[in-house]
Amino acid sequence: MNTPPDPILPRHDARLIPRPPRRPRDSQSPAPIAPPPVRPQFPAGDPDDPPAPPPRRRAPRFGCGLPALAVGAITLSLVLVALFLPPLALHEVIREALTDAGPSPTRDPLAARGLVFEPLAPDSPVEASGLALSVPPGETGRGYRVRVAALEPADYLAGDVPETGWNCAPDLPAGHALASRVYSLLQEGAPPARLSLRLVPVEGAALERGLELRVWNATHAAWEFVPGQVPAGDGSGAVLVEMSYLPRCVALFREPPSARIVGVTLAPSETFDPARLPEGARLYPATARPLPDGRLHAVLPAGVEPGGAYRVIPVVQNFEDPAVIDVATVRALLADPALRQQHVRAVAALALHEENTFSGVALDYRGLPGELRPALTAFVRDLAALLHAGDATLTVILPAPVYDAPGRRWLTGAYDWGAIGQAADQVAIALPADPEAWEPGGVVEDLIAWATGQISRSDLLLEVSALSIEDQGEGLFVPVSPGEVLARWSTVRLEPAGQAGAGQPVIAQLAGAGGVTLRSGVDEAIVTAYLALEDAGGNELRRLWLTDAAALQARLALAVRANLGGVLVRDLWRTGTLPGLAEVLAAYRVGAGAALDASDLVVMWTVRAGDTVIEQSATSPGALFRFEAPGHYPAVSVEARLDGAVLGRAELTIAQPEPTPASPDDAAATTPTPEPDTPDS
């Protein structure tokens, strides 16, 4: 792509390392999306719009009062005629012209002759063939009436539309199919500030992958996603949306199984291994942090080669360690409009600079306070527009919202999910670390159900960790290496301890101080194995959830059932990830792979004398390891390892049996008797 001229993209802000000239993007690059949404406007020349008034003519000057009297009489006549006409919603026309809000414009009844309008008020909803329109309590409109025309999907796709009062051309969003009738809407009078629409899918529509509500954008002549929700307890598949205007046309759509995206992040502390990157995956290296003047401190991690066999999308984030987030710098940048625009240009330059062969940029700004919501939304919109103009993409990583149970709503703080989803190409959800949140009907499922009402499901990615999770109590869940955790939890205990006789049976086990023991198990609901640390009374102190291939596959299956765009996996390069994860990701991407069973951890026990390995055996962490003390070594060490990490080691001295003194009879029996010499014959 070509780099926009200065000063929009300052070249010195984005230089990372010398690169060959940019080559054309490969066929895997997504097609550029439409510009930021503009709410639908009726196109010029609509046959139902009132005719334009004729141009004014300058009246001749007669220099007497007779023309003035004539003008006054005409004016009085027009006023009397106007008293018998319905009110004209002039304020709506002004609002539409100034804000481009785009509601269905008020119709002149004379131009809409022959079309039947129905009153719409808080106590008077309108229902027509699967569409219900209502006005929320407290909203008012003056003489407000609507007209609904409904077409079956087959008639709409065949172009068999009414000649009058139909507002959208036969068309479908790419990769979508109709799941309801198509409704064209007109209005008269002064509309209320809010309207509620409820659409029910046609009988037989596939509901298992979820539906999306879209409205017709006349400016772009395209269907546009609108955030909506499925009413609780409604099994009909209906979608409910509240809007500030009456759309031109509205319908429900469903998507076929999406082409799955697999993204893998790369933290500054991790070492990149291209061999472990699943085929076709995208790499998201943590590359840049914001500076107080709006520019970026950018360093590409070692080993990453943009323009190679994998797509590289650098991540701009306000932290290096997730435990230490820089909120102050981002707050200052977003709050100052001039600095915000400078920061937009700097972030866009990271992808658009001619010496960088990145296909887009990802944004991960965490911990922002709620008062930055308008500024953050404006920043994302401006950044997306600049990137899309250069054929680059924007991915935004959003923290999981907090559920307000009394208010039965999700609190999103500084992050306007609907607006960000409209601007960005992909939105990744940073999900809760608690593995039990993935249980059927749990927090993750509820969050996905809400999120798909805010953002098109094909644009959503689930962010998951490849590391195991330690439940440290009081709601604290930490991604960890199992070996490191078990090394803290336990040590190797021998029985007998310290010394054993040659050939004597010895028992080794992992155990903690004060009678603490390990217990293993599997939570079948989330297909995840675990280890529990229990005290002498059987009370659970800690739990280690194991993210093995089966656990990761079960989480990816949730993304498949919801027909989401893909997943974003972090911590894949960290020490302590369990085997088989890359293979599961590769199978997910192409829609293959049989269901796996949860697996237990394997502890490798080794008995050695110096550098000589005497015996090895594998057990589960809570199982006993039995061996016999070897008789031909004075001492041995017993070591337990998990995925290369040493869990513990114990020394054992071998008591050798003392030699038994020989008796005289034994000596005689063993001493040969010399034979007498025989003379030569």
Side-chain angles (χ1 to χ4, degrees), residues 131-526:
L131 170 67
L133 296 170
S134 60
V135 177
E139 300 288 350
T140 58
R142 186 164 51 89
Y144 188 59
R145 301 191 301 166
V146 297
R147 177 185 182 273
V148 180
L151 278 184
E152 296 293 333
D155 294 334
Y156 171 73
L157 295 176
D160 188 10
V161 301
E163 295 182 359
T164 304
W166 192 263
N167 299 322
C168 46
D171 192 15
L172 289 178
H176 288 68
L178 274 169
S180 74
R181 297 175 179 86
V182 181
Y183 304 91
S184 181
L185 309 174
L186 296 175
Q187 64 182 359
E188 280 188 331
R194 306 293 297 176
L195 293 168
S196 293
L197 289 78
R198 181 180 181 273
L199 273 72
V200 177
V202 294
E203 186 177 354
L207 305 180
E208 67 275 6
R209 296 191 178 275
L211 304 178
E212 294 183 348
L213 188 146
R214 290 178 178 255
V215 300
W216 181 256
N217 186 321
T219 302
H220 299 142
W223 289 97
E224 181 179 277
F225 175 82
V226 173
Q229 293 295 319
V230 176
D234 190 337
S236 67
V239 177
L240 180 66
V241 62
E242 193 169 282
M243 305 186 70
S244 61
Y245 65 95
L246 188 71
R248 290 283 188 158
C249 291
V250 63
L252 293 178
F253 295 86
R254 59 180 175 84
E255 291 182 286
S258 60
R260 299 166 186 169
I261 296 172
V262 172
V264 181
T265 65
L266 177 63
S269 60
E270 297 173 343
T271 301
F272 177 54
D273 179 6
R276 296 180 59 193
L277 187 68
E279 183 179 357
R282 304 175 182 181
L283 184 65
Y284 291 79
T287 302
R289 295 183 61 193
L291 297 175
D293 61 0
R295 295 181 299 166
L296 296 176
H297 173 69
V299 178
L300 192 65
V304 177
E305 297 182 359
Y310 47 88
R311 293 177 57 183
V312 178
I313 302 176
V315 181
V316 182
Q317 57 190 33
N318 60 336
F319 60 91
E320 286 187 8
D321 181 350
V324 184
I325 299 175
D326 180 10
V327 176
T329 297
V330 178
R331 183 201 298 268
L333 292 176
L334 297 182
D336 185 321
L339 281 176
R340 185 168 70 232
Q341 290 304 312
Q342 167 67 13
H343 194 43
V344 166
R345 293 190 290 268
V347 175
L350 189 62
L352 301 181
H353 195 281
E354 61 185 7
E355 294 184 357
N356 300 332
T357 52
F358 302 130
S359 59
V361 172
L363 191 70
D364 188 0
Y365 282 171
R366 302 185 185 181
L368 302 184
E371 64 264 22
L372 291 179
R373 185 183 183 97
L376 177 63
T377 301
F379 172 74
V380 170
R381 283 174 173 162
D382 293 345
L383 176 58
L386 197 53
L387 288 170
H388 294 159
D391 192 27
T393 62
L394 174 62
T395 301
V396 181
I397 302 172
L398 295 180
V402 177
Y403 185 66
D404 173 26
R408 302 181 64 183
R409 57 177 181 161
W410 293 92
L411 305 178
T412 58
Y415 309 93
D416 187 336
W417 282 56
I420 291 174
Q422 289 281 4
D425 298 272
Q426 277 89 38
V427 174
I429 311 174
L431 294 170
D434 180 7
E436 290 184 298
W438 293 82
E439 65 185 10
V443 173
V444 172
E445 282 195 3
D446 290 345
L447 177 54
I448 290 175
W450 172 83
T452 53
Q454 304 297 311
I455 299 171
S456 177
R457 62 186 65 240
S458 60
D459 296 338
L460 280 173
L461 311 177
L462 293 187
E463 188 191 57
V464 298
S465 174
L467 279 175
S468 298
I469 304 294
E470 182 184 8
D471 180 357
Q472 298 182 347
E474 299 182 353
L476 184 60
F477 298 87
V478 182
V480 292
S481 162
E484 295 174 356
V485 172
L486 290 179
R488 286 190 281 107
W489 281 9
S490 60
T491 187
V492 172
R493 180 180 299 169
L494 300 179
E495 185 181 338
Q499 181 174 329
Q504 180 178 354
V506 180
I507 297 175
Q509 63 178 335
L510 292 175
V516 173
T517 59
L518 292 175
R519 178 178 59 85
S520 61
V522 175
D523 189 326
E524 299 292 348
I526 54 176

